[in-house]
Structure formats: structure tokens, C-alpha cells
Amino acid sequence: MNHIATQEEEPLSVPAACPVRSRAPVEDASAELARLAGHLLGRPVPEGVLADEQALLALAPSAMSAAQRQAVTDIAGLARAQQELRRRLARAEGFLNGFAEHSPSPLWIKDRSGSYVMGNAALHGFFGVPTVVGKDDSHFWPEDVRRSLEEQDRAVLENGEVIKTMETSNDGSRHWLVHKFPIDVEGEPFLGGSAIDMTEEVAKERALIRHDNFYVLLSRLSAIISRARTLEALCLDTCREAAHQPGLEIVDISRRDSATGGLKLFTSAARDGSEHEWREADSGTPDGQAVADWFLPALAGAAVETGRLQFSNDVNSGCARRDIKSCMAIPLFVNGKCWGVISFYSTRAEFFDSFYRERAGELGTELSFGLERLINAQELHRLARTNALSGLPSRLHFDEEIAALAAANASGTVLLININRFDEISSAYGNTAAIGLMRQVAQRLRGEVAERMILSHVGIGRFALFYPMDEARSPRGYAHDVIIPLLEGSYQVDQHKIWCTVNVGAAMLPEDGTTADELLVKAWDALAGARHMEEHIGFYDRDADHALARQISMEAELRDAVERGEFVNYYQPKVDLKTGKIAGAEALLRWRHPKRGIVPPAEFVPVLERSGLVIEVGRLVMQKAMEDWRTWYDAGLAPPQIAVNVAPAQFRCDTLFEDIEKALNTAEAHRQPLSIEVTESSLVSDHRRVVDILTRVRNLDVPVAIDDFGTGYSSLAYLVTLPVDVLKIDRSFVIKMAQDAGYMGLVQTIVSLAHNLDLKVVAEGIEKNEEAKLLKLLRCEYGQGNLYGKPVPAEEFAGLLKG
């Protein structure tokens, strides 16, 4: 119920509480005793002696009988008892009057008819009258309230109930806990009541509830942040949750436009369940501001400009139509810059008091954290799937898209586009011109290739696109009529005019493969065949692939080579660039053919990898490296740590970890004789499995290096989480860094990146002293190349250790 009137501000002087019963019967009893005593004594009894037995008997005549004298004695006893009762009654009335009149809470008693028979000073002050005695509730309350009070009173009097209610003043400023209870006086029913002021207690309880609601909102916001995968989901769920907080009507989030600096509504939600995700099509004003007549752009703009909370009780007409009376805007920050604003709208005037203003920072910080997490994750995802040189999607992106198409049973053709003689162009005109050419090629492709065709930059001078089967033109026709005319011809790159020719190789999904690796390899085979035949376009021939036949033939030879033990290890030293001393070595596989002699690795290693023989051969290389290390150690030569390459296929083999343990035991693991090197391609496929194996390997004190870093398509996000110790800079960067400032900067970036991740750096392919000096200046720790020594058999490497 909500019907207690507000107490008047001016205090009122009120009389003492009205006594419950009259004193007349008590006074009549005293007069009757005096009359009886006077009749017995035959004379009037003086005032004050009625209760004095001796004084009364002194007034008795001598002829008074014993019975009469006993009657006088009894009258005196009654008078004394009456005096004692009167004293006790006066004392009780004093207690009651003192308690009632000095109680800060209103107290009252009503009779059966509803009339007040008693009320204390607090009640009189509450009603603003000198006395309530003889009045009923119709004197103080409107008709509807009076009827409600009478129903309560009737329940108390008729049923003997005790009723407890919380009452609130009409303006909501004061709260009272009201008790009503029955009183029985000699069988006559009365109703007692009291009202305890609970205003402060209610205010404290509401503050606690408000505090709890706020931190429940923060807790739920944390859950929203943890599960959100997009900015839209995060912002909309936040608005939905906040809009249901007590006192709030609408919550919206506006985003700062990076180009104009203006604010555009991003999403909003209201208490009634209505919500909106604002799109560009929703923008209706010249500056692109999304239409929302309740939005307060000035307030939100001030929050952006100042970077501080803003609140206002001045609202626009749109707010007024929705009965919104106050607003608060909190700026949101991402990576140190203001990203946007979250605004809260309330139907209560001055709702955003010190409570909200003190805690707004917590809410803004929490939501800013969620926004920053998602935005940074999206940027990392984009960077990992974007080629930094051309801006086109990377090989990793192409791998993922082809995998998704294969999973969806899609059909089409992968077209691999190769810029011919790109290495020669780079050598002739410099790396900067080569990169400029690559960017122009990428720009032409981006402008022509339809969005549904997946275009990616998959290697230096190589681009790939997926051509869907349902296109009107055939893949060959598209390559012949669109791609080749588009890309072949003259390019103006800086001051150079470069003539460019291209070849295209094609492989079909799913006939030729279901992964990007398979399709690109076969497309490259088709491209190489076309180039050999001096044709622009080549399609993978599944029926008569001479290259495959050669591979099969070589595979048979390689299997025999394993049986005959024709594979040997060569070792190339790694040196400490500061001291020039040998700090390690890399075990390199060589095939000692009985007729051809030493076969270059480039001829047979790809076949080993494609055939799966690389697993067995890799195991032999590692075991032999540890046996050689133990031989050197036993000869007192203090051999350095030997690095062994681990191919991607070995990671897919369940025995890799056991192979490493076995090899370590040969050379005694505690002497740390072994390290392993992995390629970037190993890190992309089955990333979780690779990380698990590498972690277990490092627990054996076997360092891990990423080989040829920078030439593949590693994600920086992967690199941060990988259990690796060393980055090896590919020789192609080292060779060009002395002539090209761009490559110098690239090498410097790789070294800085490695050091920031607490990794060591090894530079491969060092041929000249100039290269070594530059690497030393860049704080590269180790070097490897012909400048320090070519790969040599184990016996010759032992000689290097002796020297």
C-alpha cells in the first residue's frame, strides 16, 4: 500500500495523550466510604483521616459496639487499599503517557466504530492536528484509502489478526512499517496501531539492491565477452542485458567513424524487447548519422572528445516522447583510442547519480576490454591470412577455403598463375621493382576476379584462384580470354618498364585432390608441362603424367637406397658470429648413388616427402647424427649440438617422439647433443598436434628451430604460441640484404621479432664477409654458410673439430 501522507515540515504542539478511562468512578468510591464512616461514627469524617484506623476510632463514641468498631476498621482498610490502587494507577498512567508521548513513532488506539480513543504526539504531528480523539480516518484520508484502512481494521477486530504492512508516502519520499493489533479491555475490543519510520532502512536496502544489480550486470557482461565471436554479437548482447537493469529504458552503442570522426549508431536494445543492428542502409542524414530520434549526439560526442563520462537531464523531443528524462554516455577505448560510446537512457529524472558515475568506469573498462580483444583477434586473423607484399589473401587463407569447399563437396578448378622469370626480374631490376611488379599484378587480378572466385597470393610471383564449376565460361577459356590478356604485357614500375609473361596451370577439385597442397602441386606440374611445351595453359593430366612416372621410378630407387644404406649424413658448421667459433652443426642428407655419385637433395627429397619414405629416412638421419656425435665425443673432440631437419610427414607419424628419444639415448640425452629444425609448412597442418609434440621434445632439452623463416606462410599468431627456441633466416634474404635496403629491413625485422619473443637467430647461406658483418650489426647470434664451411662428411667434420 502507498497511502501515508507526507509529514508537515513545521512541528505542531500537541496535547498529552487522552486517558483511556475516566477517574469519576474512583472518586465516587472514596465519597461512599467517607459517607459510611460518618454514619457509623455519627459525625462527618475529616478529610485525610479516612485511611487512618486509629484516627477514625478516636472519633468513635464510647457506646459504639465491637461490631461497629470492626466496621470502622474495615472502612479504613478499604480506604488504604483504594489509595494504593490509585497510586499504582497513576504510576501506570505515567508510564503509558511517557512512553506514548515521547515515542518517535506514531501510536494510536481505535474503538470498534473506528474512532480514535488515543493518539500520541507523533501521530498528532503526522496528521498535523492537536488531537485525533473522537475522529476517524475520514478526517485524514481520501475515500479509497479510508476504505482500505477500514478493511484492515475489520480484519484485526473481527478475526483477532495482527497485520503488518509497509506504507509509502504519496510522493515516495518516506516509508513506514505499520503494525495493527487487537486489544481487549474487559471484553470490549479495541484496535492498537504503530508506525515505524523505515525511510533510511528502505534507502539502504535499495542502495544494496542497486549495487548488487550493477555487479550482476558486470558479471554477465564478462560472460558475454568470453563467448562473443563478433563485435555485433558483443554489442547487441551487452545492450540487451543492460536494458533490463532497473531504471533503464534504452541502451545503445555508437561507433566512431575512422574517416569522418563522427558517431554512427552500431546497435541498440530497449526494455520492451525492441532492438536494432544499425547498417549503412539505415543512415539517413547527410553525414551518415543513423536515424534515431532518441539519440543524443551532443552528449555522446562530448564523451568521445573528452574521453570522460557525460550525463544530462536535458533530453530531446524523441526522448521526451519515450518518457526518457536522463541519459549517461560512457566512452569506450580500444588500443588507447576512443572507439565509440555506450549510452544509457532512463525514464527517471536525475537517475544517473553519484552511484552510477562512480561505477561507470568499471563498466566502460570491461566492455572496452571485450571490444579490444575481438578487434585485435580479428586483426591478427586478417594479418595471418593476408600476404603483406600484395595485400591479397595468403596461402593459409587459400588452404582454409579449399578445405571448406572440399568439405562441402564443391567442384571447380584451381588455376595457378605464375609470373615467368620472376627471379630474373628481381635480380635485374632489384627487389623493390620486383615487389612493385607483384603488387601491380595483384591489383589487376583484384579488379577483375569475381568475389566468389577465391584469389590468393601463394608464393613469390605465384597467384592462385578457385574457378567454380558453375561459371558460364570454361576454366581454359577464362584463363585464355581473361587472365593471360590481363597480366601479360608491359608494366611501369618506378622508372623501369618491365615486360611480363605468365603461365597458368590447372588442377580440378575434387578429381585431382581435396587439399590446397595437392591441387597446387598438380597445378604446378601442369604449369611446368605447359611451359616445357611453350604453351600458356596446362591442365593436370591424370592419365599420362610423365613427372609422376619419373617420381614412381625414383621412389623405387629410393626404397632400394634405404635397404642398401646409400644415404649418408653431411655436416655444415654453425658459428657464433661474435667469436667465429663453431657453435653447432646441421645434419644434411645426401644420396650416394652407386652410379651417379652424390645426388643433389633437390632431386630426391621431394620424392621422399611425397612417397612417405621421408619418415624412415629422417629416422636414419637422426640416429646416424647421434652416432657420429657420440663417436666425436668419445674421441675427446667436444662436439657441438647437431641440428636435424624434421619433415612435416614425420609429425604425422606416431613414432616421432620415440625416434627422438632413441637417438638421444645413443648420445646420452643429458649432454644435449640434439636440436631439431621444422619448416613453416609443418606448423600449419594439424597445428595442435605439432605443438603437443614440440612441447614434449623441448621437455627432453631438445631445442626447436623454425627453418627458412619468412619464405612460407606462418601466422604470427601461431609463432607466439609455438614452443620454439630459434628462427633460421632463409638464405634468399641473406643473399639480397647487402644490395637491397628492403631486404635489410626485412632481416632486421625478423631479428627484432625473434628477440622480442626471446628466440635466438641463425642466418643461413652466408657467402660473403659483408653479409656476416651486417648480420653481426643486426645482433644475429649465429651464422651458417659456405663462408664458414660447406657440408662435409662426418670424417671431415671431425677434422674441423680438431682444428
Side-chain angles (χ1 to χ4, degrees):
M1 297 177 67
N2 184 15
H3 53 243
I4 290 187
T6 306
Q7 183 175 352
E8 298 293 336
E9 294 185 2
E10 294 294 328
L12 298 174
S13 59
V14 295
C18 179
V20 177
R21 306 187 68 83
S22 172
R23 297 177 183 270
V26 177
E27 295 172 353
D28 290 347
S30 297
E32 181 63 19
L33 289 176
R35 186 184 67 76
L36 288 174
H39 177 73
L40 290 171
L41 297 173
R43 65 175 69 181
V45 176
E47 186 177 354
V49 301
L50 184 62
D52 188 343
E53 179 181 343
Q54 297 302 323
L56 282 179
L57 291 175
L59 297 176
S62 57
M64 181 177 285
S65 66
Q68 290 175 325
R69 292 180 71 85
Q70 182 59 47
V72 170
T73 299
D74 292 341
I75 289 173
L78 289 173
R80 287 196 300 275
Q82 189 182 62
Q83 286 180 349
E84 178 62 21
L85 288 174
R86 186 177 297 169
R87 185 188 67 79
R88 291 182 179 180
L89 179 60
R91 181 181 176 87
E93 288 182 347
F95 285 152
L96 178 60
N97 289 339
F99 173 78
E101 291 308 305
H102 293 93
S103 171
S105 302
L107 304 172
W108 67 89
I109 297 177
K110 294 181 183 179
D111 62 15
R112 191 180 187 90
S113 67
S115 295
Y116 288 91
V117 297
M118 191 206 87
N120 69 345
L123 181 68
H124 297 149
F126 179 78
F127 284 136
V129 295
T131 182
V132 296
V133 176
K135 299 178 181 179
D136 58 28
D137 287 326
S138 63
H139 292 82
F140 309 113
W141 304 106
E143 182 64 21
D144 57 335
V145 176
R146 181 185 64 79
R147 285 198 298 269
S148 176
L149 294 175
E150 286 178 350
E151 290 177 3
Q152 292 182 11
D153 294 351
R154 189 176 304 112
V156 173
L157 292 171
E158 293 181 359
N159 303 323
E161 296 180 6
V162 175
I163 294 179
K164 178 171 67 175
T165 59
M166 182 65 75
E167 311 291 349
T168 303
S169 62
N170 293 330
D171 62 359
S173 63
R174 302 184 71 193
H175 307 274
W176 304 78
L177 179 61
V178 177
H179 288 80
K180 294 183 179 181
F181 45 88
I183 300 174
D184 185 279
V185 179
E186 298 178 354
E188 184 179 355
F190 290 88
L191 180 143
S194 67
I196 302 172
D197 192 342
M198 300 293 290
T199 302
E200 289 188 9
E201 286 73 10
V202 170
K204 291 177 182 177
E205 182 180 4
R206 288 182 175 177
L208 182 60
I209 292 173
R210 200 179 194 192
H211 182 279
D212 289 345
N213 286 337
F214 182 84
Y215 284 101
V216 166
L217 173 60
L218 280 184
S219 174
R220 291 178 178 172
L221 181 56
S222 296
I224 290 171
I225 289 172
S226 66
R227 69 170 180 263
R229 294 294 176 267
T230 65
L231 290 177
E232 290 79 4
L234 170 62
C235 293
L236 185 56
D237 286 349
T238 297
C239 290
R240 287 170 176 165
E241 190 64 49
H244 287 87
Q245 290 296 302
L248 297 181
E249 185 66 20
I250 300 175
V251 178
D252 68 50
I253 295 176
S254 48
R255 185 174 185 175
R256 192 176 191 182
D257 188 284
S258 57
T260 66
L263 287 170
K264 292 183 179 179
L265 278 173
F266 190 59
T267 190
S268 71
R271 174 174 289 275
D272 62 7
S274 61
E275 56 191 41
H276 200 88
E277 290 185 53
W278 300 89
R279 308 295 184 188
E280 290 298 326
D282 301 321
S283 300
T285 57
D287 63 354
Q289 170 63 53
V291 176
D293 59 353
W294 39 261
F295 182 59
L296 298 178
L299 192 70
V304 170
E305 293 303 320
T306 63
R308 295 193 299 271
L309 161 76
Q310 303 291 320
F311 62 94
S312 176
N313 297 305
D314 296 324
V315 297
N316 57 26
S317 57
C319 288
R321 279 197 297 274
R322 290 169 173 79
D323 199 30
I324 292 170
K325 296 182 174 62
S326 58
C327 176
M328 177 175 68
I330 304 172
L332 304 171
F333 295 91
V334 172
N335 297 325
K337 296 182 180 179
C338 188
W339 178 88
V341 177
I342 182 169
S343 300
F344 300 87
Y345 304 82
S346 176
T347 55
R348 303 179 193 174
E350 301 185 8
F351 178 74
F352 301 104
D353 54 11
S354 59
F355 173 86
Y356 268 100
R357 296 197 294 272
E358 289 170 2
R359 291 161 178 80
E362 297 179 58
L363 193 148
T365 299
E366 189 76 9
L367 182 54
S368 293
F369 167 77
L371 291 168
E372 185 170 295
R373 182 184 71 87
L374 280 177
I375 289 172
N376 289 345
Q378 289 174 354
E379 182 63 12
L380 280 175
H381 186 276
R382 186 191 68 79
L383 289 174
R385 287 154 180 79
T386 302
N387 187 289
L389 295 178
S390 65
L392 289 178
S394 68
R395 168 67 186 271
L396 175 61
H397 173 81
F398 193 72
D399 287 355
E400 293 174 342
E401 292 295 325
I402 293 298
L405 289 170
N409 297 319
S411 298
T413 303
V414 170
L415 298 177
L416 179 63
I417 304 161
N418 183 68
I419 303 174
N420 292 327
R421 302 170 62 194
F422 189 82
D423 288 341
E424 296 178 22
I425 292 172
S426 178
S427 298
Y429 298 106
N431 185 63
T432 301
I435 292 175
L437 172 63
M438 199 155 44
R439 287 175 176 168
Q440 288 192 28
V441 171
Q443 186 175 0
R444 292 186 185 186
L445 287 170
R446 186 187 290 110
E448 178 62 36
V449 172
E451 187 174 350
R452 66 192 300 260
M453 302 179 192
I454 302 164
L455 174 65
S456 294
H457 188 169
V458 296
I460 297 176
R462 295 179 190 174
F463 302 86
L465 67 86
F466 176 77
Y467 191 77
M469 176 174 280
D470 56 0
E471 288 287 326
R473 191 177 299 173
S474 69
R476 183 181 294 275
Y478 181 77
H480 182 272
D481 299 336
V482 178
I483 297 299
I484 293 174
L486 175 71
L487 300 183
E488 280 201 338
S490 178
Y491 291 78
Q492 187 67 41
V493 182
D494 296 331
Q495 72 273 23
H496 305 295
K497 190 172 184 178
I498 303 174
W499 184 264
C500 182
T501 63
V502 299
N503 282 97
V504 179
M508 299 181 67
L509 174 74
E511 292 87 345
D512 298 331
T514 56
T515 68
D517 275 338
E518 292 174 332
L519 292 168
L520 289 174
V521 165
K522 292 178 180 178
W524 177 254
D525 289 342
L527 187 150
R531 190 161 52 186
H532 180 72
M533 300 296 294
E534 296 184 354
E535 296 178 355
H536 279 107
I537 306 167
F539 274 72
Y540 178 70
D541 188 347
R542 295 182 296 277
D543 299 324
D545 191 336
H546 299 295
L548 180 59
R550 288 194 299 272
Q551 290 174 12
I552 294 174
S553 176
M554 181 174 284
E555 181 181 337
E557 285 191 83
L558 290 172
R559 293 186 185 277
D560 291 339
V562 173
E563 294 293 330
R564 293 193 294 261
E566 295 174 358
F567 291 107
V568 295
N569 284 6
Y570 274 41
Y571 298 94
Q572 185 175 34
K574 299 178 186 177
V575 301
D576 187 320
L577 291 179
K578 287 184 179 180
T579 65
K581 295 181 178 180
I582 295 178
E586 181 178 359
L588 299 170
L589 178 65
R590 295 292 185 266
W591 181 13
R592 187 175 286 158
H593 195 279
K595 295 180 180 180
R596 298 171 58 191
I598 297 297
V599 180
E603 286 191 29
F604 67 87
V605 168
V607 181
L608 286 177
E609 292 177 343
R610 292 170 188 165
S611 65
L613 283 171
V614 71
I615 296 174
E616 185 174 356
V617 174
R619 184 184 300 122
L620 294 174
V621 170
M622 187 179 301
Q623 184 64 32
K624 179 59 177 173
M626 292 298 94
E627 290 173 358
D628 289 340
W629 189 95
R630 183 57 186 259
T631 300
W632 299 330
Y633 178 81
D634 291 342
L637 297 181
Q641 194 173 71
I642 305 299
V644 176
N645 289 282
V646 177
Q650 290 178 268
F651 281 102
R652 296 190 290 271
C653 177
D654 293 334
T655 64
L656 174 60
F657 185 74
E658 289 74 12
D659 294 341
I660 293 174
E661 280 190 311
K662 180 181 177 182
L664 278 174
N665 291 334
T666 300
E668 298 188 26
H670 69 279
R671 302 187 188 280
Q672 299 183 6
L674 176 67
S675 66
I676 65 171
E677 297 182 0
V678 299
T679 61
E680 293 183 60
S681 59
S682 301
L683 310 176
V684 176
S685 59
D686 202 358
H687 178 71
R688 184 177 298 176
R689 176 184 174 85
V690 172
V691 170
D692 177 65
I693 293 174
L694 292 182
T695 301
R696 295 168 62 196
V697 168
R698 289 180 80 214
N699 289 337
L700 298 175
D701 289 330
V702 175
V704 178
I706 298 180
D707 198 15
D708 301 332
F709 183 77
T711 61
Y713 39 87
S714 290
S715 163
L716 292 181
Y718 285 167
L719 183 60
V720 171
T721 59
L722 280 173
V724 297
D725 308 277
V726 179
L727 292 186
K728 296 192 71 176
I729 302 175
D730 186 66
R731 64 185 302 272
S732 61
F733 298 145
V734 174
I735 292 172
K736 296 176 182 178
M737 62 181 291
Q739 292 81 31
D740 191 319
Y743 274 93
M744 171 68 78
L746 189 57
V747 172
Q748 183 178 12
T749 299
I750 294 174
V751 173
S752 298
L753 173 64
H755 289 168
N756 287 336
L757 296 175
D758 200 22
L759 305 178
K760 300 295 183 183
V761 182
V762 178
E764 297 181 295
I766 302 176
E767 305 283 345
K768 302 175 182 179
N769 283 319
E770 183 183 4
E771 295 166 353
K773 290 177 182 179
L774 290 174
L775 289 165
K776 188 175 179 181
L777 287 174
L778 293 178
R779 297 190 300 119
C780 177
E781 288 90 349
Y782 305 104
Q784 180 180 346
N786 291 340
L787 180 64
Y788 305 108
K790 295 182 179 180
V792 295
E795 298 79 8
E796 293 185 36
F797 190 77
L800 294 178
L801 295 179
K802 292 176 182 178

